[in-house]
Amino acid sequence: MKRQIPLIIVIGLGLLFVIHTFVPHKISEDFYEWWQTWSKAISPFMVLLGIMSLFMVHSTKIKRKTANWQYSFVTLGGLLITAFVGFMWGTREGTPYMWLFKNIQMPMSATMFSLLAFYIASAAYKAFRARSVEATVLLVAAVIVMLGQVPLGAQISHWIPDTSKWILNVPNLASKRAIGLGVGLGITATSLKILLGIERKYLGGD
Amino acid sequence: MSNNNTRFWDRMQNLDRRYIYIVVALAIIIPLLIPFNSKTYITEPVENLYKKVDSFTDREDRAILMCFMHDASTMPELFPMEVSILRHCFERNIKVFTICFLPTAAPLIDYAINTAKEVGGFDVKSGIDYCNFGYKPYALFLPILLGMGEDIAEAVETDSEGRKVENLEIMKDLKNYNELNLVIDFSASASVQTWITYARVKFGANIGAGITAVMAAENYPFLQTGQLVGMLGGLKGAAEYEKLVDIFASNNVVFSKEIVKETWIPITDKQIPYQFKIARIGMNAQSVAHIMIIVFIILGNIGYFVSRKSKNKELG
């Protein structure tokens, strides 16, 4: 029953949504509105579930003193402090919540993301080599697109941004579209397998 | 001499990465501290988005929705875009709504609105000229996205201040995507494709994207098909939009290609507030950093070929 009930819900609702897409009848529209109301009611429970799960994972880590368990205090402390100041004084401009956001979260997040620039530069120097024809094509394309992205490229010659545009609009677009079509077909096939009950891995177990 | 040369390139091949980090840090920090004037060239996707937003000027029955789908980590690229578009809307009396489905994006909306409002000195009021729908749980992304196709007020229910959306003055003449006719998604992911799949295909809404540079290439197929009316790609897109707002919106002038070609706006101009030229200042740093990376690639390859040649010689 633990597997059959979720399976019936997924197949039943999945088929109903397929029917709704193709049948614009009043019953179909009413069903759709009913679903929208229900989905709104379900979402707060999902947030609650997330918070509970976070607490359970990190409190277990602290209890068992697993590797880097000290950081779990930081995670839970961050969650509690942010929630407390948010509930107490609100989240608008001028509140402690906004102060925390501007002075802690913003610089820390931006710092993490900006490390990319250093890794890219180092990786480009160490690994970007014209070892084969394919690697040379990739290298030349990367240099043109990089130059085309900055004003200096256009100042050197108009053909740099023009070629960069061509690379993005022709070879890049063709490959992206091919990947997109493949992904689309894959999604359709997987959806059909789920609707027909052939694919059941999402239920867990083997 | 030749031996010394080979040794030099061998050493260069094994250069400690900390030297590279220092050079990159300097290449980014110095142009940020000492801004210099560089030209900003306008590309078609940015021009198209600007023109679409501008076409809603002074219209009561048109509005745009800005969806903040990112957190603070991608702020350096996306925040200048958001401030520029909000500034454009405030300058040209365009109704604008904001929404987010990530809790970490909610303070970003307040920050962007306040930056545009306070730095620009605009006398705009929440609920009349603009409205922040605020944070909605991600689980409601699809129900709200689809619901707005029928009735915005019913789908969103309340704004960030807890007011009933249907009672707000800004909602007069606005019902669904027929009026909320342009959605601009700002993200570092492919979330704009969800807007295209549902809001564009099902309801005919116009969709625009503000996206980080690394994700921009993903969206070119949608630009070509017209499913995206325009796109701001990375800091470059933000810099271009900033320039367009400086030339046209802030002077209450309608877009013209000729004026863009003839106009030169120096970023060292003190009259332009720092927050309104931050992307163009950032582009200087990006220009130098790109040049540095290209130099690194060239040096790395010279070293690779010199080492390979000497190894081949040794092998006979």
Side-chain angles (χ1 to χ4, degrees):
Chain A
M1 285 300 269
K2 263 171 103 177
R3 286 172 70 87
Q4 280 157 337
I5 291 173
L7 196 66
I8 291 165
I9 294 171
V10 169
I11 295 173
L13 283 174
L15 288 172
L16 279 172
F17 278 108
V18 172
I19 294 165
H20 164 74
T21 308
F22 295 104
V23 185
H25 190 269
K26 192 179 177 307
I27 297 171
S28 167
E29 295 298 328
D30 288 347
F31 158 74
Y32 181 67
E33 274 181 30
W34 170 84
W35 165 74
Q36 280 190 326
T37 319
W38 262 99
S39 61
K40 280 181 193 172
I42 292 166
S43 66
F45 293 98
M46 291 165 72
V47 175
L48 201 67
L49 198 70
I51 294 169
M52 277 166 60
S53 164
L54 195 79
F55 262 103
M56 280 161 71
V57 168
H58 288 280
S59 56
T60 312
K61 263 186 159 186
I62 293 168
K63 263 185 218 161
R64 291 183 186 165
K65 292 211 165 36
T66 54
N68 301 321
W69 62 275
Q70 297 90 338
Y71 296 120
S72 294
F73 273 117
V74 180
T75 307
L76 293 179
L79 175 75
L80 289 172
I81 292 167
T82 314
F84 176 75
V85 296
F87 282 121
M88 281 297 286
W89 296 285
T91 59
R92 305 197 69 78
E93 186 70 47
T95 58
Y97 176 89
M98 204 62 176
W99 186 90
L100 285 175
F101 176 76
K102 281 186 185 173
N103 296 290
I104 297 176
Q105 194 177 0
M106 246 172 64
M108 285 202 309
S109 304
T111 304
M112 287 305 291
F113 197 68
S114 59
L115 287 177
L116 259 184
F118 296 92
Y119 293 137
I120 289 173
S122 167
Y125 182 68
K126 301 268 178 190
F128 227 160
R129 301 280 185 267
R131 286 194 173 91
S132 61
V133 179
E134 291 88 344
T136 312
V137 170
L138 188 70
L139 200 150
V140 172
V143 169
I144 292 170
V145 173
M146 267 198 281
L147 272 177
Q149 281 295 105
V150 291
L152 195 74
Q155 277 163 341
I156 294 169
S157 166
H158 71 88
W159 72 262
I160 293 178
D162 289 350
T163 314
S164 166
K165 194 176 156 191
W166 180 85
I167 290 169
L168 288 168
N169 277 330
V170 182
N172 163 69
L173 195 143
S175 57
K176 290 285 172 202
R177 190 157 285 157
I179 294 167
L181 284 170
V183 171
L185 287 170
I187 290 171
T188 311
T190 311
S191 305
L192 271 174
K193 279 165 79 178
I194 291 171
L195 279 180
L196 298 172
I198 300 165
E199 172 65 58
R200 295 179 188 193
K201 277 185 188 154
Y202 62 92
L203 292 169
D206 295 325
Chain B
M1 183 70 187
S2 165
N3 222 1
N4 281 345
N5 195 17
T6 311
R7 216 176 298 150
F8 169 76
W9 286 110
D10 276 343
R11 270 168 59 188
M12 283 297 284
Q13 286 277 80
N14 300 311
L15 189 70
D16 190 328
R17 64 184 62 202
R18 281 174 294 186
Y19 291 113
I20 300 170
Y21 293 164
I22 289 170
V23 174
V24 173
L26 292 174
I28 293 169
I29 293 167
I30 294 170
L32 288 177
L33 292 176
I34 313 163
F36 56 88
N37 290 319
S38 59
K39 278 190 175 171
T40 304
Y41 296 89
I42 308 297
T43 52
E44 217 180 308
V46 176
E47 182 189 313
N48 289 342
L49 189 63
Y50 180 88
K51 285 197 285 193
K52 190 72 201 173
V53 173
D54 208 56
S55 69
F56 292 0
T57 300
D58 291 327
R59 285 191 67 168
E60 284 294 312
D61 61 340
R62 284 287 181 277
I64 71 166
L65 173 69
M66 295 169 68
C67 180
F68 288 55
M69 215 59 157
H70 66 100
D71 63 9
S73 63
T74 45
M75 256 184 92
E77 278 185 282
L78 302 177
F79 193 71
M81 298 176 187
E82 292 152 355
V83 171
S84 297
I85 294 177
L86 281 165
R87 187 183 158 212
H88 185 183
C89 294
F90 295 159
E91 292 271 14
R92 301 280 282 159
N93 191 26
I94 297 164
K95 286 179 174 180
V96 58
F97 292 87
T98 51
I99 196 167
C100 69
F101 296 94
L102 302 172
T104 43
L108 284 175
I109 300 181
D110 277 336
Y111 193 27
I113 291 173
N114 286 329
T115 304
K117 231 169 94 169
E118 283 164 19
V119 178
F122 299 108
D123 182 25
V124 285
K125 287 184 180 63
S126 170
I128 300 169
D129 306 293
Y130 70 92
C131 176
N132 178 13
F133 290 149
Y135 163 66
K136 307 287 172 193
Y138 191 79
L140 294 183
F141 181 29
L142 208 52
I144 288 179
L145 189 158
L146 293 167
M148 284 196 294
E150 310 288 338
D151 189 332
I152 301 160
E154 200 179 300
V156 182
E157 292 181 6
T158 53
D159 74 350
S160 65
E161 293 169 48
R163 298 174 295 189
K164 275 268 182 197
V165 170
E166 62 188 350
N167 299 333
L168 299 176
E169 197 181 319
I170 193 172
M171 288 306 293
K172 205 179 119 209
D173 300 325
L174 303 179
K175 173 83 177 157
N176 51 37
Y177 288 126
N178 289 336
E179 292 82 31
L180 190 71
N181 201 240
L182 175 63
V183 179
I184 309 173
D185 183 83
F186 300 92
S187 77
S189 68
S191 64
V192 71
Q193 290 171 22
T194 312
W195 288 102
I196 293 171
T197 308
Y198 296 102
R200 170 80 193 169
V201 174
K202 202 168 158 68
F203 302 102
N206 288 300
I207 311 293
I211 203 146
T212 50
V214 286
M215 288 301 294
E218 293 284 324
N219 290 323
Y220 276 84
F222 303 107
L223 277 173
Q224 196 206 33
T225 55
Q227 287 165 304
L228 271 181
V229 290
M231 179 175 80
L232 310 185
L235 203 59
K236 185 176 187 284
E240 291 174 33
Y241 208 95
E242 268 181 2
K243 185 184 171 182
L244 289 176
V245 176
D246 270 346
I247 300 174
F248 301 107
S250 63
N251 294 309
N252 237 349
V253 177
V254 177
F255 179 87
S256 146
K257 269 194 172 173
E258 282 67 38
I259 296 175
V260 175
K261 273 182 198 162
E262 288 162 10
T263 313
W264 157 253
I265 296 185
I267 54 167
T268 46
D269 181 352
K270 296 261 188 276
Q271 282 188 326
I272 306 169
Y274 176 76
Q275 289 89 341
F276 292 166
K277 59 184 177 189
I278 197 165
R280 281 169 287 177
I281 293 171
M283 275 310 287
N284 285 342
Q286 194 168 306
S287 295
V288 180
H290 278 204
I291 300 299
M292 287 318 304
I293 292 174
I294 291 167
V295 170
F296 281 138
I297 293 172
I298 293 168
L299 285 175
N301 276 281
I302 293 172
Y304 168 70
F305 282 111
V306 171
S307 302
R308 200 170 72 168
K309 203 176 163 190
S310 74
K311 268 179 201 161
N312 287 345
K313 257 187 191 171
E314 279 170 23
L315 291 169

